[in-house]
Amino acid sequence: MAFRCQRDSYAREFTTTVVSCSPAELQIEGSNGKKEVLSGFQVVLEDTLLFPEGGGQPDDRGTINDVSVLRVTRRGAQADHFTQTPLTPGTEVCVRVDWGRRFDHMQQHSAQHLITAVADHLFGLKTTSWELGRLRCVIELDGPSVTAEQVATIEQSVNEKIRDRLPVNVRELSLDDPEVEQVRGRGLPDDHAGPIRVVTIHSVDSNMCCGTHVSNLSDLQVVKILGTEKGKKNKTNLIFLAGNRVLKWMERSYGTEKALTTLLKCGAEDHVEAVKRLQNSTKLLQKNNLNLLRDLAVHVAHSLRNSPDWGGVVTLHRKEGDSEFMNIIANEIGSEETLLFLTVGDEKGAGLFLLAGPTEAVETLGPRVAEVLEGKGAGKKGRFQGKATKLSRRAEAQVLLQDYVGTQSAEE
């Protein structure tokens, strides 16, 4: 049996009954990018307006009696709705779909069917998979390359069919219906039960599909193929947007263009050349800056070496610099008797450090300095360097080094 969302993709709310409600957990990606586990309930309804994930299409969002549904998955012939509030079995409930998300998925999915059919018809390019992403959609075509001319021809044909306002209808066929053999498809799920659902674009394509679709191609509004990317072996990824996504993409693009016009102080047609000039200027400045930093490192090294405070533990901190800057100083000094402790970066925050000197001392003290600075590092041949998160603790590291040197002197 097809769900209500499959029988009428345009329905936005309806009434049904709760069949069961059991404790469950849902793994999601948290705001920090790490996996989180939510405790809640798996709710099964007599029928559902919320599409469960399948056929390359993400699941719907919505509410059951104003209780948010965070995930919908298919299990055989039923749909499981994850909520964080329990619902009593036998209760009559009102189900509402997040229409913005639903209609977007309908537009992208129907557009994929149309592009797939046209690409196959015009150039024999078969679709091997597709992805309905959050910002863009990708069709994987069975071919090592697709030319710009082919992309333009596919896009033109697709939009002509949208302007022709071709109807899209859904039928259900039994597994033993001879017509099934004539329908395009990439196989059925292992747990599929019941009749086969077939989505037909009039005079263009018939395809086995469980997803939600527009009833007429005019609802797609427009399709824009953004381009192609190299896919898996002998595959090409075709990137596209349909309907409202095209409008949003144009709005974002115009906003970016307007901002660049203000920043670069030139018209949109000159943006690329202006950025190239800035890149070249930046490379030259970086090169000059690097040369100056190297000269400064040599000068600093000689100043430290000739300082009356030379010996024991010598320290230096600079806000500007990098690991190369510190290594040049260490190379220029080249002392194996003195401990040289260098740091660069935000004196109260994160940065880099380098410890150079007698091999045995550096091997012993390097990891301990890294620990004090709450960082990590590695070393060999009398040099230990790494990243620090707390350069504010440099004084503690310096005391550690001085105590070591003092102990060694006393032993001698």
Side-chain angles (χ1 to χ4, degrees):
M1 181 192 77
F3 299 122
R4 175 64 186 273
C5 56
Q6 296 170 309
R7 301 194 304 275
D8 181 3
S9 297
Y10 288 83
R12 303 191 187 195
E13 67 175 70
F14 93 129
T15 301
T16 186
T17 303
V18 177
V19 173
S20 65
C21 179
S22 55
E25 291 184 338
L26 175 66
Q27 189 177 76
I28 63 168
E29 187 171 306
S31 56
N32 58 0
K34 294 183 178 179
K35 298 292 184 182
E36 295 180 8
V37 177
L38 298 179
S39 296
F41 302 88
Q42 210 70 276
V43 178
V44 177
L45 307 174
E46 280 188 358
D47 197 356
T48 186
L49 197 64
L50 305 182
F51 178 76
E53 183 177 17
Q57 179 176 323
D59 57 336
D60 282 337
R61 293 291 181 270
T63 60
I64 304 173
N65 273 7
D66 296 326
V67 173
S68 295
V69 176
L70 306 182
R71 186 68 53 81
V72 190
T73 53
R74 187 180 66 84
R75 183 156 49 95
Q78 72 181 33
D80 293 334
H81 308 72
F82 184 88
T83 68
Q84 290 189 285
T85 302
L87 294 163
T88 306
T91 304
E92 190 175 82
V93 291
C94 177
V95 182
R96 292 188 178 90
V97 67
D98 177 341
W99 176 247
R101 179 182 172 96
R102 157 67 67 76
F103 190 60
D104 172 58
H105 290 175
M106 289 164 61
Q107 288 185 318
Q108 309 314 311
H109 202 161
S110 295
Q112 177 267 311
H113 279 223
L114 181 57
I115 296 170
T116 288
V118 169
D120 188 8
H121 174 71
L122 291 179
F123 303 111
L125 293 165
K126 306 289 186 184
T127 291
T128 48
S129 67
W130 87 291
E131 177 189 7
L132 199 168
R134 189 173 62 86
L135 296 177
R136 67 179 197 169
C137 297
V138 181
I139 296 176
E140 184 185 74
L141 296 174
D142 191 13
S145 64
V146 180
T147 67
E149 291 76 14
Q150 288 175 318
V151 168
T153 301
I154 292 170
E155 182 180 276
Q156 180 180 350
S157 178
V158 162
N159 283 297
E160 284 175 354
K161 289 172 172 37
I162 292 172
R163 289 191 292 272
D164 287 340
R165 301 185 295 279
L166 299 179
V168 180
N169 63 68
V170 178
R171 295 176 298 145
E172 290 187 354
L173 301 177
S174 62
L175 278 170
D176 57 358
D177 191 315
E179 192 177 342
V180 170
E181 300 298 323
Q182 311 302 318
V183 175
R184 185 168 56 83
R186 297 195 300 273
L188 296 169
D190 294 336
D191 61 349
H192 175 80
I196 295 173
R197 192 165 175 268
V198 177
V199 176
T200 299
I201 302 173
H202 179 68
S203 72
V204 175
D205 179 57
S206 285
N207 183 26
M208 286 188 286
C209 183
C210 65
T212 56
H213 290 271
V214 298
S215 61
N216 191 289
L217 290 188
S218 62
D219 272 354
L220 297 185
Q221 300 169 279
V222 65
V223 165
K224 178 60 187 173
I225 299 177
L226 300 179
T228 61
E229 297 174 353
K230 185 176 177 59
K232 299 173 185 175
K233 187 176 181 181
N234 294 323
K235 309 288 185 185
T236 300
N237 293 334
L238 185 145
I239 318 302
F240 78 92
L241 305 172
N244 291 333
R245 289 198 183 194
V246 177
L247 301 179
K248 291 178 181 177
W249 175 73
M250 291 178 66
E251 184 179 1
R252 287 196 304 271
S253 296
Y254 177 70
T256 301
E257 180 183 295
K258 190 176 179 181
L260 286 173
T261 296
T262 301
L263 291 169
L264 300 174
K265 295 179 171 56
C266 64
E269 65 278 4
D270 297 321
H271 284 176
V272 173
E273 288 304 316
V275 171
K276 286 181 179 179
R277 288 195 297 271
L278 283 173
Q279 285 180 323
N280 290 334
S281 297
T282 301
K283 287 178 182 177
L284 182 60
L285 287 171
Q286 287 175 334
K287 183 178 180 181
N288 292 338
N289 183 59
L290 184 59
N291 289 334
L292 289 171
L293 202 60
R294 286 170 176 165
D295 292 342
L296 177 62
V298 172
H299 174 74
V300 168
H302 291 165
S303 296
L304 289 173
R305 184 78 188 196
N306 297 325
S307 169
D309 296 326
W310 176 258
V313 178
V314 177
T315 65
L316 174 73
H317 173 76
R318 277 185 61 86
K319 185 175 182 179
E320 299 82 14
D322 56 16
S323 59
E324 183 178 9
F325 174 77
M326 294 189 295
N327 276 290
I328 291 173
I329 294 176
N331 291 338
E332 287 293 320
I333 289 177
S335 173
E336 294 184 359
E337 294 81 31
T338 300
L339 279 174
L340 181 64
F341 178 46
L342 306 175
T343 55
V344 294
D346 184 350
E347 60 182 343
K348 293 184 179 180
L352 305 173
F353 72 92
L354 182 146
L355 181 66
T359 300
E360 184 178 343
V362 171
E363 286 179 353
T364 301
L365 294 168
R368 294 170 64 185
V369 168
E371 184 179 355
V372 169
L373 300 178
E374 297 184 24
K376 293 181 179 180
K380 60 181 179 179
K381 297 181 180 179
R383 198 166 295 185
F384 189 100
Q385 56 192 323
K387 295 181 179 179
T389 60
K390 291 285 183 67
L391 286 182
S392 57
R393 299 183 64 184
R394 294 192 322 278
E396 295 177 47
Q398 187 174 344
V399 170
L400 172 69
L401 300 176
Q402 290 170 337
D403 287 349
Y404 178 87
V405 170
T407 302
Q408 293 300 109
S409 299
E411 290 177 356
E412 293 174 1

